[in-house]
Amino acid sequence: MRINTQGFRIEETAPPRPQRTFLLEGTKDLDTVIPAESRFTEGAGPVYPTLGRRLFPALDALEITMDQLGKHPTPEELDRSNVRRLIRAMLPVLEAYSDCYPKKAYKKAAGELGTIVSAVGQFKDVAVLETTVGTLYPDGVIPPRIAKRLEKTHNQEAELFRDAFKHFRKEGLETVLDTFSQPHRLEEGSPARIETEDRRLLGNRALELLDKAENRGLVHQDPEEFHGGRKALRRVLNAVGASADILAWPKEDVEAMTRLVDGLGVAQDSFIAYEWLEKEGLHAEAAKMKAEYDARHQAEIQEAQRFIDSGAFGRLRAAAEQA
């Protein structure tokens, strides 16, 4: 609070909010920070090794991260917490082992994850929007007339996010933990047979996602199709990460795919900013952002074509088939 009093000024500022720290922050490789042990045990019978080794610790990490986020996280805190990255890493595992759960319970719990990851993404995108719009100005200072509209958008998205986040904290998280920590137990069998089936399930899911990504395509002029291609490729990348300790994925192709997914994402950020500026009637600014998007779009299309022409899809497919 500031009070001007004829010649002197009294300033009173609220104490700064302590900066939260998060279990998963500061890395893209979640395997290096997710605890190896889990409070979810294998119970009375065996489960597939990947569930015990990857899913159960990830459920622990999700519970811890949600507690660390508290009731009212900021977009910056959501980004640092890596909660969306964690859920995306869990999804290909859950999809590969969906038959290990009752269908109705699986659908409900998976829906809870899908809803919260979408809500986190939309809220986080407000901060990305502000940053991207800021690139239009050399000094990085967004004019007040535009900053005011960004604040309005932030407040609208914040309200939508709060409702989704509150529901997930109160009900959704418990549903996810209770459902996915209790897969059907396997019939008795040799460890070798169980491990073979474990690899087969992961490999088959990766093959399905590779088919979808290739069929969707990566070289599109239409922005919506272009973004759809990125989402399909990102799901392949998540599936590769989920099975990296089991399947021998070609390192160079995985690195190229990672760079491509990141580059496509930067282009998409520009398009989101362009659409927002156009919707707000800021046509001059929108035209500048559209030019930035077009340049990035074409550059990433070329990168995508190089990725395709390199034969990367074929090598990735061969690795999945080795399962």
Side-chain angles (χ1 to χ4, degrees):
M1 177 177 65
R2 292 183 175 182
I3 305 173
N4 290 320
T5 57
Q6 297 183 354
F8 67 91
R9 183 175 66 187
I10 299 172
E11 291 195 7
E12 180 182 328
T13 58
R17 171 173 167 170
Q19 181 166 338
R20 292 175 171 145
T21 57
F22 302 100
L23 172 68
L24 306 177
E25 72 176 288
T27 182
K28 290 186 177 181
D29 186 359
L30 299 186
D31 288 341
T32 63
V33 291
I34 291 179
E37 299 299 323
S38 170
R39 72 179 180 87
F40 301 108
T41 63
E42 295 190 3
V47 298
Y48 287 112
T50 295
L51 295 179
R53 185 175 59 251
R54 282 192 172 272
L55 181 62
F56 291 173
L59 292 173
D60 267 326
L62 178 61
E63 186 175 31
I64 292 168
T65 300
M66 289 296 298
D67 182 63
Q68 291 172 333
L69 283 168
K71 294 182 179 180
H72 306 293
T74 66
E76 182 270 340
E77 288 171 337
L78 288 166
D79 189 34
R80 283 195 297 111
S81 77
N82 265 329
V83 65
R84 184 166 63 156
R85 187 183 300 273
L86 172 64
I87 295 174
R88 284 176 172 171
M90 292 167 58
L91 290 176
V93 176
L94 292 169
E95 291 161 356
Y97 299 90
S98 60
D99 288 344
C100 294
Y101 300 96
K103 288 185 178 180
K104 188 175 180 179
Y106 176 89
K107 184 177 180 180
K108 181 179 180 181
E112 294 285 4
L113 285 177
T115 298
I116 192 60
V117 80
S118 177
V120 169
Q122 290 177 6
F123 190 39
K124 175 179 171 289
D125 283 349
V126 174
V128 176
L129 174 64
E130 293 169 352
T131 300
T132 307
V133 170
T135 63
L136 292 175
Y137 307 97
D139 57 2
V141 178
I142 299 174
R145 66 188 179 88
I146 298 179
K148 188 174 182 179
R149 297 188 190 193
L150 284 168
E151 183 179 8
K152 181 180 178 181
T153 298
H154 178 280
N155 292 338
Q156 290 170 340
E157 292 297 334
E159 186 174 354
L160 294 172
F161 169 75
R162 278 194 295 269
D163 290 342
F165 195 73
K166 181 179 180 181
H167 167 78
F168 190 73
R169 279 179 58 88
K170 290 183 67 175
E171 300 179 28
L173 179 61
E174 183 177 357
T175 297
V176 167
L177 297 177
D178 287 350
T179 300
F180 293 137
S181 66
Q182 300 181 66
H184 296 317
R185 304 298 161 173
L186 299 175
E187 296 179 1
E188 292 300 325
S190 69
R193 185 189 67 80
I194 292 174
E195 288 178 2
T196 297
E197 180 65 8
D198 193 40
R199 289 194 300 273
R200 186 190 68 80
L201 289 170
L202 288 170
N204 284 352
R205 184 55 186 162
L207 286 170
E208 290 171 2
L209 293 174
L210 281 164
D211 284 343
K212 290 180 179 180
E214 285 195 274
N215 290 337
R216 186 65 188 257
L218 299 174
V219 183
H220 295 287
Q221 294 299 330
D222 178 75
E224 185 174 344
E225 290 297 317
F226 180 69
H227 182 50
R230 176 186 182 254
K231 289 169 66 176
L233 190 64
R234 186 182 63 209
R235 295 185 74 190
V236 173
L237 188 60
N238 289 336
V240 167
S243 55
D245 56 345
I246 293 180
L247 302 180
W249 298 107
K251 182 180 178 181
E252 290 186 2
D253 293 324
V254 174
E255 291 174 347
M257 181 165 51
T258 302
R259 290 192 299 272
L260 183 56
V261 168
D262 289 345
L264 295 171
V266 173
Q268 178 64 15
D269 292 343
S270 296
F271 186 75
I272 290 172
Y274 156 70
E275 282 195 313
W276 181 85
L277 290 164
E278 191 66 37
K279 183 184 72 174
E280 292 292 322
L282 301 165
H283 302 302
E285 292 82 357
K288 293 178 183 178
M289 187 58 67
K290 181 63 161 53
E292 289 192 16
Y293 167 72
D294 287 342
R296 290 193 174 106
H297 183 192
Q298 296 308 315
E300 292 306 323
I301 280 181
Q302 292 177 18
E303 289 298 322
Q305 191 62 60
R306 278 192 282 270
F307 179 80
I308 294 167
D309 293 343
S310 75
F313 275 125
R315 291 186 293 272
L316 290 165
R317 185 178 301 280
E321 290 170 346
Q322 290 301 310

